[in-house]
Amino acid sequence: MSTHVLLGRNGYIGREVTRQWLAADPQATFLVISSSGRNELTDPRVTTVVADATDYDSLAQALPAQIDTIVDFLGRPDSDPTALGRINLVPARLMERLALERGAKAMGMIGGTLGPMSFTQLKRQIIDELSKSSVPVAVVEPTLVYGAGRRDATSTLVPLLKLMGGLFPKVKPVRVEDVAAELVTKLRAVAG
């Protein structure tokens, strides 16, 4: 059995990554770290643990002594610079620290190419930092992610952005299934 840690409450992208990885690897088990304890996935190989992904002690107590991979699904834009760092930078740095301490073979990260400059620059900084780690990092940098039943204000823009994507590739929407497949493929290749 292999143990994969997912930081975040297994939201939109995390659920699809977990679903695809469960289908691809019958030996994979998942530990979902969630501040709320909510998880929409029900599978005997998925365990949800309540912990704070911005607090080292909380995370360290939640994790087993050995893990195979750890993936950071946390992050979003925020107008407050302190909150922006706490939501994006802190979990990524804790992920690396725990990956090193727990013998992880790989880390995973979702970058950000759309949004306020403060957000996209911070995501780039995080990816640059993680790429210098002795633990390999698999990175996926999607634009607007859609599909798998997503119904929100942003998803209504998908048809327009698909048209614009031909002219401006940075805004071309991508299906969540494709984002998840790319991340799972990269992580499985790196982790062996």
Side-chain angles (χ1 to χ4, degrees):
M1 297 300 269
S2 56
T3 302
H4 309 283
V5 176
L6 309 178
L7 301 180
R9 64 176 176 81
N10 216 356
Y12 185 61
I13 297 173
R15 273 192 312 273
E16 185 62 23
V17 165
T18 308
R19 187 189 68 71
Q20 288 188 28
W21 206 331
L22 284 166
D25 183 357
Q27 299 300 310
T29 61
F30 296 87
L31 186 62
V32 176
I33 305 299
S34 166
S35 60
S36 70
R38 291 189 312 256
N39 185 357
E40 294 180 21
L41 283 176
T42 53
D43 187 285
R45 294 185 289 150
V46 178
T47 303
T48 302
V49 175
V50 176
D52 180 355
T54 64
D55 179 78
Y56 172 79
D57 292 329
S58 181
L59 275 177
Q61 290 173 7
L63 299 185
Q66 176 67 39
I67 60 175
D68 292 283
T69 63
I70 184 168
V71 184
D72 179 6
F73 289 106
L74 298 166
R76 67 175 188 272
D78 197 293
S79 58
D80 176 5
T82 302
L84 184 66
R86 183 179 46 77
I87 296 165
N88 295 279
L89 185 59
V90 172
R93 286 182 172 163
L94 291 178
M95 172 181 67
E96 181 188 18
R97 178 177 175 185
L98 289 161
L100 291 164
E101 292 174 0
R102 306 298 165 108
K105 299 172 190 164
M107 298 180 289
M109 182 73 194
I110 303 293
T113 60
L114 287 179
M117 188 178 293
S118 58
F119 171 70
T120 58
Q121 286 179 341
L122 183 58
K123 282 292 195 175
R124 174 54 33 211
Q125 174 193 333
I126 292 167
I127 291 166
D128 290 345
E129 283 182 22
L130 293 175
S131 68
K132 295 173 185 161
S133 177
S134 61
V135 178
V137 62
V139 176
V140 177
E141 296 188 83
T143 56
L144 174 68
V145 181
Y146 74 99
R150 182 176 184 174
R151 304 267 184 253
D152 61 13
T154 306
S155 65
T156 62
L157 298 174
V158 169
L160 175 64
L161 293 174
K162 280 184 177 181
L163 290 173
M164 292 177 59
L167 299 172
F168 307 101
K170 282 190 156 191
V171 299
K172 184 177 181 182
V174 292
R175 295 187 53 78
V176 69
E177 295 87 352
D178 297 334
V179 172
E182 181 181 350
L183 186 58
V184 169
T185 299
K186 287 180 175 181
L187 283 166
R188 291 186 72 208
V190 173

